[in-house]
Amino acid sequence: MEEVKQLQELMDESRRIVFFGGAGVSTESGIPDFRSVDGLYHQKYDYPPETMLSHDFFVRHPEEFFRFYRDKMLPLEAKPNPAHEKLAQLEQAGKLLAVITQNIDGLHQKAGSKTVYELHGSVHRNYCTLCGKFYDAQFMRQSQGIPRCDCGGIIKPDVVLYGENLDSRVMAGAARAIDRADLFIVGGTSLVVYPAAGFVAGYRGNKLVLINRDPTPYDNQADYLFRGNIGALFSQIRV
């Protein structure tokens, strides 16, 4: 297959690969994305999912927020797929600098990746809003109603809700990695969410690879454009 051969050659000649991925990286692990026909935004709830995942909704309707959160945002049984695994192997081989992800599922770390910039946080980190005590994802799943700390404070997932700012340190680290990249691979993301999509617009190198099932606003800026599922493509790559 020509696409596999081309991507293999690019990876073989690169020493500072950076990967930036979105929901499409995890759909092959059984985690639904947000914007496709079968994604979360097209399912039926009392409120639109985008509303329920906002900071304002969390503050005003915490019990309803956590009901939805437990039901749809904690797929803790999901396993890494070939994309996650291959990226971890590339890092271990000293060829990949970092993974930048819009996902909050922790599957890159589960696959073995060490340098992961989680732009939107992680369901695996949860903190008391009063005292800062840490709680894991299993605690959140098993909790009832509004999860509360020993001190009485509400425990909030360390995920970036709509209306909240991204972590400036994570953004800066991701930007530094992209600046050093000799191969920038972007996969499984619609590239419509900012400021994360701005990483692609700001890339100044000459090896930008876009891998996505559907068209994106940046297709015409890609040096190499591949259509299809990223896990299926990465499964054929040798490290």
Side-chain angles (χ1 to χ4, degrees):
M1 185 177 174
E2 190 59 33
E3 289 186 340
V4 175
K5 181 182 177 183
Q6 194 171 40
L7 184 59
Q8 184 72 64
E9 289 175 353
L10 286 168
M11 289 187 173
D12 287 347
E13 65 190 27
S14 301
R15 289 294 177 269
R16 299 187 307 280
I17 302 170
V18 172
F19 177 83
F20 172 39
V25 179
S26 291
T27 52
E28 291 172 72
S29 293
I31 298 176
D33 70 359
F34 279 64
R35 290 176 174 80
S36 68
V37 173
D38 54 351
L40 284 177
Y41 284 1
H42 294 267
Q43 299 178 21
K44 302 297 183 183
Y45 296 95
D46 292 340
Y47 301 87
E50 194 167 43
T51 297
M52 289 189 284
L53 292 175
S54 69
H55 177 80
D56 184 65
F57 193 87
F58 170 77
V59 172
R60 293 172 181 267
H61 309 281
E63 193 149 354
E64 189 70 16
F65 169 88
F66 282 111
R67 186 178 298 120
F68 175 79
Y69 183 80
R70 288 189 194 94
D71 186 33
K72 292 297 179 183
M73 307 305 291
L74 291 173
L76 304 184
E77 289 77 27
K79 292 180 170 55
N81 62 54
H84 300 106
E85 292 165 352
K86 198 69 66 174
L87 289 165
Q89 293 166 16
L90 285 165
E91 183 185 42
Q92 289 157 13
K95 294 175 65 66
L96 183 132
L97 290 179
V99 168
I100 304 164
T101 181
Q102 294 172 295
N103 298 330
I104 59 175
D105 50 46
L107 289 180
H108 285 293
Q109 289 92 332
K110 189 179 282 189
S113 289
K114 304 299 184 187
T115 303
V116 182
Y117 294 102
E118 296 173 308
L119 301 180
H120 298 160
S122 172
V123 299
H124 295 281
R125 298 188 300 269
N126 306 272
Y127 299 97
C128 172
T129 54
L130 283 184
C131 73
K133 183 178 178 180
F134 169 84
Y135 292 85
D136 64 16
Q138 284 291 353
F139 177 91
M140 299 299 282
R141 172 184 275 184
Q142 294 164 7
S143 63
Q144 301 292 320
I146 301 171
R148 292 194 177 272
C149 176
D150 298 333
C151 76
I154 295 176
I155 303 168
K156 182 184 181 295
D158 187 18
V159 299
V160 179
L161 302 176
Y162 291 102
E164 295 180 341
N165 294 322
L166 274 64
D167 189 312
S168 60
R169 291 169 298 179
V170 174
M171 292 287 287
R176 284 195 299 270
I178 293 169
D179 283 344
R180 295 180 58 205
D182 60 3
L183 175 61
F184 187 26
I185 303 175
V186 180
T189 173
S190 59
L191 292 176
V192 297
V193 177
Y194 281 82
F199 285 138
V200 179
Y203 176 63
R204 294 291 174 259
N206 59 2
K207 288 185 184 177
L208 172 61
V209 175
L210 288 190
I211 307 170
N212 207 49
R213 191 176 60 186
D214 304 311
T216 80
Y218 291 92
D219 286 0
N220 63 347
Q221 295 189 27
D223 300 297
Y224 305 89
L225 181 63
F226 303 130
R227 285 276 176 261
N229 293 326
I230 190 166
L233 182 57
F234 270 43
S235 67
Q236 302 175 72
I237 296 296
R238 303 181 316 276
V239 176

